[in-house]
Amino acid sequence: MPQRQFADDEATAVQEWAVGKNRNDYNAVVVNLLAALNRNLDKGIEEKVGLAGANTGNLIFVEAMKEQLDYVKEIWINPAALKDVDNPSVVIPSANFMIQGGDSLMAALIRFLENTECPVTMAGLGAQAKLDETPEELVRKLSPTQTKALKMLSERAVTIGVRGGYTAECLSILGIKNVRIIGCPSFYYDFHKRPPKHKKPSLDRMQITVTPANPLETKILEMGERHNAFWLMQMMTEHPDLALEQDAWEDAWEELLTGSFPESGLSQADIWKYMKRSARIFFTKMDWDTFYEKEDITFAFGSRFHGNMAAFRKGVPTLWIVHDARTKELTEALHLPHIDYAVWEKIKAPEELLGYCDYREYRGKYRQMQRQYTAFLEENHLSHKLPSTNVLYRMKEHLTGKRM
């Protein structure tokens, strides 16, 4: 096959890049909002969940970005932390920060932007909303602090990486157009192979994830209990402290668990026994990965996006139950198999779920989504360890032997 021929100006640009006259001199910096967790792994469950941003699923996308980037430093949102970094380009692995009542983080972001001049972006920014809530309704709930922070970020970033079309529309209402839909960084975990082939799902060893306080979520719990499924907990609303730090049932917990798991056919004491038997919660990526390597899970389902993604990344057949706008836009943007509450309500047995584990659309879009994500990293000056979509990056990699 003949080699691609470069135009004279393109060839000159490649040569100049290769000898260092026009190379990417930015140093990637990761804002890790969970950094304190690793220093406090000996603390109690409630404190560790708090340090994980109230949801241990945050670990999945933060650690994914750290694996992907060739970064020089992890920081908190503190301008002083950049003093020893030449030409920094900052990325904030992000969650559903567009949420009513999220002022403290956005206020910190404003202070950071006001006291720095470097490129800054977010990866995986999402909007927290009910399924029937329109983008206009959500935007009206945002505070002046949140709106100001997002507009300032837009001015500093080349593009903002958002979870899906819903979040992109919310930002558009605010006049922010420089967005790229990337889904979640946790989706991009192995660029050097074809899409992982997920084994055929079976009910031999199941995993569930649950978002409490809804009868349809209680249904997930009950199905998991009947089939002795592992219960991957992520938040204090699931009461991991009762499951993992208490040795005997107390009647005082009755009202607490009734509120979390309404309309249950199980007694609250039986729910607690199921917790004791099957609940797990992880505070490091290594522990999460070790669980899948050890337990050979054959099917995962539930309403927690990242609890499911942790299984999916390990090749476990996984089905998402969509319960809000954020999980809907993520599963749609990433072409992941999912069902909504209307379908879930009609399900009688877990065998019915297996047929929804159809990965044809996901596999067909896998490379396209990878290219979109890599383009996002490169246009925001974030050095990475992934195969590049940019001819200049690829030539630089080839000539220097260094991944850009």
Side-chain angles (χ1 to χ4, degrees):
M1 180 181 294
Q3 296 296 308
R4 181 183 185 278
Q5 299 298 311
F6 293 91
D8 290 343
D9 57 345
E10 189 177 17
T12 300
V14 170
Q15 292 165 3
E16 288 180 346
W17 191 319
V19 298
K21 294 180 181 178
N22 191 33
R23 66 178 181 268
N24 182 353
D25 285 327
Y26 287 97
N27 289 301
V29 175
V30 177
V31 173
N32 185 354
L33 301 176
L34 315 182
L37 176 60
N38 286 333
R39 301 191 298 270
N40 292 277
L41 293 174
D42 59 337
K43 304 296 185 182
I45 286 176
E46 185 171 7
E47 184 171 351
K48 288 188 290 187
V49 170
L51 292 171
N55 187 332
T56 60
N58 295 330
L59 288 166
I60 303 299
F61 64 81
V62 171
E63 293 301 319
M65 284 218 79
K66 288 170 59 179
E67 289 177 351
Q68 296 155 5
L69 296 182
D70 185 11
Y71 65 97
V72 298
K73 193 174 185 179
E74 287 180 65
I75 67 169
W76 176 249
I77 309 180
N78 179 7
L82 294 178
K83 288 183 177 179
D84 60 346
V85 181
D86 293 329
N87 300 321
S89 182
V90 178
V91 63
I92 307 172
S94 302
N96 49 314
F97 294 161
M98 295 182 69
I99 182 174
Q100 187 175 11
D103 273 17
S104 58
L105 176 62
M106 290 304 188
L109 177 59
I110 289 172
R111 291 192 295 271
F112 184 84
L113 294 171
E114 288 176 339
N115 290 280
T116 59
E117 298 180 352
C118 60
V120 181
T121 190
M122 287 184 174
L125 175 64
Q128 174 88 30
K130 298 177 181 177
L131 277 172
D132 60 354
E133 191 170 7
T134 67
E136 290 81 4
E137 290 171 334
L138 176 65
V139 169
R140 283 197 294 270
K141 294 179 180 179
L142 298 179
S143 70
T145 297
Q146 292 171 305
T147 299
K148 179 180 178 180
L150 292 168
K151 290 183 176 181
M152 289 179 67
L153 178 69
S154 173
E155 293 172 358
R156 190 68 66 83
V158 177
T159 55
I160 300 172
V162 301
R163 287 182 166 186
Y166 187 95
T167 301
E169 189 172 347
C170 290
L171 291 174
S172 179
I173 293 169
L174 293 173
I176 297 172
K177 309 294 185 181
N178 57 325
V179 302
R180 186 185 284 271
I181 294 175
I182 62 170
C184 178
S186 63
F187 177 79
Y188 307 99
Y189 52 96
D190 193 344
F191 281 63
H192 303 281
K193 298 178 182 177
R194 292 184 178 276
K197 288 190 175 181
H198 294 79
K199 52 194 173 186
K200 186 176 180 180
S202 77
L203 306 182
D204 295 340
R205 292 180 69 78
M206 295 165 53
Q207 167 195 309
I208 64 166
T209 60
V210 179
T211 306
N214 185 307
L216 288 173
E217 297 289 330
T218 301
K219 181 179 177 180
I220 299 175
L221 180 153
E222 291 176 334
M223 190 172 287
E225 192 273 342
R226 286 197 300 273
H227 293 270
N228 203 31
F230 286 101
W231 179 355
L232 269 290
M233 294 183 169
Q234 295 178 211
M235 298 182 70
M236 292 306 297
T237 52
E238 298 169 82
H239 311 294
D241 51 338
L242 302 188
L244 303 171
E245 293 180 335
Q246 303 295 333
D247 294 326
W249 167 255
E250 296 183 15
D251 292 339
W253 301 338
E254 183 88 22
E255 183 176 352
L256 183 68
L257 293 180
T258 299
S260 295
F261 309 109
E263 301 182 23
S264 176
L266 298 169
S267 71
Q268 304 311 317
D270 284 340
I271 290 177
W272 180 75
K273 290 175 184 177
Y274 173 44
M275 287 180 176
K276 292 294 294 181
R277 185 171 70 248
S278 299
R280 303 288 188 275
I281 188 168
F282 302 116
F283 296 99
T284 70
K285 180 179 179 296
M286 180 180 296
D287 287 345
W288 218 315
D289 289 346
T290 300
F291 168 77
Y292 291 109
E293 292 163 4
K294 176 183 176 182
E295 297 297 345
D296 191 27
I297 303 300
T298 60
F299 178 50
F301 73 97
S303 56
R304 295 281 189 190
F305 181 82
H306 290 104
N308 286 349
M309 180 56 73
F312 186 80
R313 287 165 60 94
K314 287 298 182 179
V316 177
T318 305
L319 179 67
W320 280 261
I321 298 176
V322 170
H323 68 102
D324 63 5
R326 57 179 171 158
T327 50
K328 183 175 188 290
E329 73 169 344
L330 276 168
T331 52
E332 289 180 350
L334 297 172
H335 308 280
L336 296 169
H338 61 278
I339 59 174
D340 60 21
Y341 268 174
V343 174
W344 168 238
E345 191 170 14
K346 298 174 183 177
I347 296 292
K348 303 299 182 185
E351 291 86 353
E352 299 174 59
L353 298 174
L354 304 185
Y356 290 98
C357 290
D358 185 345
Y359 297 104
R360 287 175 293 183
E361 183 178 347
Y362 152 72
R363 292 192 182 106
K365 298 290 186 180
Y366 184 83
R367 288 299 186 196
Q368 177 185 338
M369 293 302 298
Q370 285 184 333
R371 289 192 294 269
Q372 288 275 358
Y373 184 62
T374 306
F376 162 76
L377 297 178
E378 291 173 358
E379 66 198 8
N380 284 285
H381 315 293
L382 296 168
S383 297
H384 60 79
K385 304 171 185 177
L386 313 172
S388 178
T389 61
N390 185 306
V391 63
L392 296 182
Y393 275 82
R394 292 199 300 271
M395 288 297 294
K396 176 70 172 178
E397 291 168 2
H398 175 73
L399 293 169
T400 65
K402 180 181 178 182
R403 181 76 68 191
M404 295 298 294

